[in-house]
Amino acid sequence: MKPKKGKAGLCPEGVDLLLPWYLNQTLEKEEQKAVKKHLLSCPICQQELAAIKREQKLYQSTAEEIPIPQTFPHLMAEIEKRERTIWQRITTLIPRPQPALATALIATQLIVIAGLIGLLTLNPWGAGEKFYRTLSGPTAIEGKGPRLSILFQDGVQEKTAREVILGINGTIVKGPSPMGIYTVELRSEMSPEELQGVISSLRQKSNVIRFVEVEGE
Amino acid sequence: MHKRSLEDGRLLELIATGNHRAFREIYDRYYKRIYLYSYRLLGEGEGAKEVANEVMLEIWRGAKRFRGESKPSTWMFGIAVNKIRKTIRKRPPHHEDLESAEKRADNKITQDDATYGSELREKMRMAINRLSREHREVLDMTYYQGLSVKEIAEITDCPPNTVKTRMFYARKRLGGILQEMGIGGEA
């Protein structure tokens, strides 16, 4: 206890300021003891304590005639109402599931996924293959057809050369080399007789073709 | 103070998890105290009931926020003090003059042929109503709620020495009013 002599209080040591709490026994133990000791020798504080006791008793008695409302059921109803309202607010933010629409969406997703899997499995564009194909033709660049080395006469235009090659259903796979030689691949299912026939027809066009040979021969 | 099976702090923890039984227990322990406190501060029952209910709802909703930094009772009374202060601020000024109020009380006592004790109580209630909010707060928290200086200081957000001097002046003022009413020597 640190008794103080201030403006407030009647006791010269200011202990009377603590008396209300001495009475309700909420002072610290040491303070409680000190006030008790002080009371033995301070008539002012003794008188004050008696007055406080009467005052407190009268004060507390004012509650006797005040009816206390019983509000617990009302409170619980209020809590449930508020909680329900909050929950309802939350649920209104979430769109309600519509079975038909949801099923249609799921079905669409499944179809798209199945299609993608199919495309990846079948690989119709040959993604990942070693060679590319043109969209216009199915001929493979390195197929298994016989190949011819063709040298055109000087002055033959490229357009003419291509028309000749197209005429034998061939595909230029190389060339023209620095020497002017084209490597042309023919259809794979061609028989040796057919091949000879193609070579003969080309050789007859001597005004256009200087020479023609089966590649590698 | 009756023996408690569960501490208030533990009950608040349970309330935070949505436990209705714990809430009922806290209600039983504190509703009356908070209602009476509000009644004395506001001077009437309807407003007090509203405040006490609001405090209880706040306890239910805000139990999660209770960190145990103060006593549960301090925390709960803190809520009550704030709600009462707000209610008082919102109120229109009280027009009934004190003389007519006293006459009304005197008539009531005469008509009811009340006992001397009930007359004293009525006068005391009237005297309390004439005190300032701060004085009513400190008187009630000390005389009725049995709170310590430290707790009151925490709830009302002022230094402990202010609580002590405020109580001194509240008592002085109350004594003066009671004397004016002719019952100075009784209290």
Side-chain angles (χ1 to χ4, degrees):
Chain A
M1 184 181 64
K2 291 176 184 175
K4 288 174 188 173
K5 189 178 179 182
K7 286 178 185 175
L10 302 168
C11 168
E13 292 180 49
V15 177
D16 61 323
L17 292 181
L18 297 173
L19 291 176
W21 295 283
Y22 170 77
L23 194 60
N24 76 12
Q25 298 181 337
T26 56
L27 292 177
E28 297 292 327
K29 272 186 184 176
E30 290 304 311
E31 255 182 338
Q32 196 81 14
K33 274 184 192 173
V35 173
K36 194 175 180 180
K37 193 179 168 188
H38 173 83
L39 274 165
L40 295 171
S41 60
C42 180
I44 297 170
C45 283
Q46 287 168 8
Q47 208 177 340
E48 272 301 287
L49 185 64
I52 289 169
K53 275 182 185 173
R54 285 196 303 272
E55 204 173 83
Q56 186 182 38
K57 198 177 167 188
L58 184 57
Y59 190 94
Q60 288 176 343
S61 73
T62 60
E64 285 171 13
E65 290 160 5
I66 300 172
I68 309 297
Q70 290 305 311
T71 61
F72 192 75
H74 165 76
L75 265 176
M76 289 315 296
E78 183 66 24
I79 286 168
E80 278 172 21
K81 188 179 150 192
R82 287 187 188 193
E83 283 177 353
R84 202 167 47 236
T85 312
I86 291 165
W87 180 242
Q88 276 169 352
R89 277 184 204 157
I90 293 166
T91 51
T92 51
L93 293 174
I94 303 165
R96 290 188 174 208
Q98 295 176 5
L101 181 64
T103 309
L105 282 170
I106 291 165
T108 311
Q109 284 175 344
L110 287 174
I111 289 165
V112 170
I113 290 166
L116 287 170
I117 292 169
L119 284 172
L120 289 170
T121 311
L122 296 171
N123 197 9
W125 297 294
E129 282 185 7
K130 193 175 176 183
F131 304 106
Y132 296 99
R133 296 173 185 179
T134 60
L135 288 172
S136 58
T139 314
I141 291 172
E142 280 193 7
K144 288 180 181 176
R147 288 184 173 192
L148 299 175
S149 296
I150 301 170
L151 177 64
F152 289 90
Q153 295 289 359
D154 292 337
V156 173
Q157 289 181 345
E158 175 124 5
K159 188 185 169 191
T160 310
R162 287 184 181 279
E163 280 172 359
V164 170
I165 291 164
L166 200 62
I168 58 169
N169 207 13
T171 307
I172 300 168
V173 293
K174 253 192 269 178
S177 69
M179 296 293 290
I181 297 169
Y182 287 87
T183 303
V184 175
E185 191 171 272
L186 301 173
R187 290 179 290 112
S188 57
E189 67 273 13
M190 192 173 275
S191 64
E193 291 78 14
E194 281 179 306
L195 178 61
Q196 280 307 313
V198 168
I199 292 168
S200 298
S201 70
L202 289 173
R203 282 179 180 162
Q204 282 171 8
K205 295 175 182 174
S206 55
N207 57 331
V208 179
I209 294 169
R210 189 180 292 179
F211 80 88
V212 56
E213 293 290 346
V214 175
E215 193 188 43
E217 284 185 1
Chain B
M1 203 60 67
H2 60 279
K3 194 184 173 186
R4 291 174 175 178
S5 53
L6 273 178
E7 293 297 321
D8 291 345
R10 176 69 189 133
L11 287 173
L12 289 178
E13 281 174 17
L14 291 170
I15 291 170
T17 65
N19 189 313
H20 287 197
R21 277 190 174 189
F23 184 60
R24 174 79 217 204
E25 185 63 31
I26 284 287
Y27 178 91
D28 289 344
R29 288 180 193 180
Y30 285 95
Y31 185 81
K32 185 182 172 184
R33 289 175 66 183
I34 290 168
Y35 174 79
L36 287 173
Y37 176 76
S38 310
Y39 188 98
R40 289 205 188 87
L41 268 288
L42 297 171
E44 48 97 13
E46 204 46 47
K49 186 171 130 185
E50 205 173 302
V51 165
N53 284 349
E54 279 297 317
V55 172
M56 284 294 146
L57 285 173
E58 190 61 37
I59 291 168
W60 171 260
R61 284 195 300 254
K64 283 175 197 162
R65 293 196 300 273
F66 177 69
R67 299 270 175 260
E69 288 157 0
S70 59
K71 282 172 73 175
S73 57
T74 309
W75 180 69
M76 289 185 268
F77 272 99
I79 297 170
V81 165
N82 286 332
K83 293 219 177 277
I84 290 164
R85 285 179 182 178
K86 269 186 195 170
T87 308
I88 291 172
R89 274 200 298 272
K90 281 181 197 166
R91 270 182 170 181
H94 192 58
H95 290 300
E96 188 180 35
D97 64 288
L98 291 168
E99 268 185 39
S100 61
E102 280 169 23
K103 268 183 195 170
R104 186 166 47 81
D106 286 342
N107 289 341
K108 191 185 169 203
I109 291 161
T110 313
Q111 284 161 11
D112 292 350
D113 194 19
T115 59
Y116 186 59
S118 70
E119 182 188 354
L120 268 181
R121 284 195 289 274
E122 186 64 25
K123 295 271 186 188
M124 183 64 158
R125 269 197 288 273
M126 290 185 59
I128 293 167
N129 283 344
R130 286 174 63 181
L131 294 173
S132 69
R133 176 180 56 77
E134 284 88 354
H135 286 171
R136 272 181 280 172
E137 275 178 1
V138 73
L139 271 171
D140 203 80
M141 286 182 196
T142 310
Y143 280 167
Y144 196 80
Q145 311 296 341
L147 301 181
S148 68
V149 174
K150 193 183 160 195
E151 286 171 317
I152 298 169
E154 210 171 313
I155 292 167
T156 56
D157 196 25
C158 64
N161 280 338
T162 306
V163 173
K164 292 173 198 169
T165 51
R166 192 175 281 174
M167 180 66 178
F168 174 80
Y169 288 115
R171 287 191 52 237
K172 204 172 168 184
R173 174 82 182 119
L174 181 66
I177 296 168
L178 289 172
Q179 250 182 350
E180 277 176 32
M181 290 175 165
I183 51 169
E186 302 295 335

